[in-house]
Amino acid sequence: MATIHHQLWIDAPLTTVFDGLASAEGLGRWWIPHQQTQHDGDTILSHNPGPEHGPVALKVLEVTPGHCVRWEVISRHPPQSPASAWTGTEVRFDLSRRASPGDWRGLPHEGEPMTVLEFHHLGWDPHSEYYGFCSQAWAETLVMLRRWAEAQTHRHR
């Protein structure tokens, strides 16, 4: 099995980034509106990217405040949808604070604290026709998270 992995350095407090990931409300602030329901004792997050894909349902596996959010994709999708490759995969967000690696891409000067997001989408068939497409889509989606979190931070400075 293959994994999509992205690492983002975010100039925002860890709590801001975590709050954007930990609930339907938080996800709706920067990504797409999500609903949060309970089913057989499990928390389910869902959103609908459009009729050609159908609703995406994510079972929450873990929410460790300030550290980790994990989901299992439990929905099924038509074969022509890139989301069809997601069923049974795990999406994981691990957060930490680290010193900035230096002044590039407008990051704070070396040594300034930043939030680091390690994103993993695990359990992919490495031969899936949508592996590369979804890797790029996740990269673009995570940039939306970074922009939102940094805008929240700079607005309050």
Side-chain angles (χ1 to χ4, degrees):
M1 289 298 181
T3 298
I4 293 172
H5 174 227
H6 295 288
Q7 182 185 79
L8 276 81
W9 291 70
I10 303 172
D11 186 17
L14 189 144
T15 55
T16 300
V17 179
F18 179 80
D19 289 348
L21 296 168
S23 69
E25 181 183 345
L27 293 166
R29 291 181 188 141
W30 62 272
W31 187 7
I32 186 172
H34 280 69
Q35 291 73 46
Q36 185 167 318
T37 58
Q38 295 292 315
H39 182 71
D40 292 334
D42 293 319
T43 300
I44 308 297
L45 300 170
S46 61
H47 67 276
N48 194 340
E52 64 279 1
H53 303 286
V56 175
L58 309 163
K59 180 169 82 172
V60 177
L61 300 176
E62 178 182 354
V63 177
T64 303
H67 178 66
C68 182
V69 173
R70 293 175 45 228
W71 307 323
E72 177 187 355
V73 181
I74 59 172
S75 51
R76 298 196 180 282
H77 306 275
Q80 72 274 14
S81 168
S84 65
W86 289 24
T87 304
T89 62
E90 179 182 328
V91 179
R92 182 178 182 121
F93 304 87
D94 290 300
L95 299 167
S96 63
R97 288 290 281 178
R98 295 193 224 165
S100 172
D103 192 17
W104 58 277
R105 194 203 58 83
L107 294 180
H109 295 287
E110 186 173 346
E112 294 286 326
M114 295 187 72
T115 297
V116 178
L117 168 61
E118 295 283 352
F119 169 86
H120 295 90
H121 192 161
L122 303 105
W124 275 85
D125 174 352
H127 304 293
S128 169
E129 67 179 303
Y130 298 120
Y131 182 72
F133 175 89
C134 287
S135 179
Q136 178 63 31
W138 272 122
E140 293 176 15
T141 300
L142 294 170
V143 166
M144 292 176 2
L145 170 62
R146 183 182 71 214
R147 288 182 180 151
W148 168 81
E150 289 178 351
Q152 299 307 301
T153 301
H154 297 294
R155 187 178 74 195
H156 292 105
R157 285 188 179 165

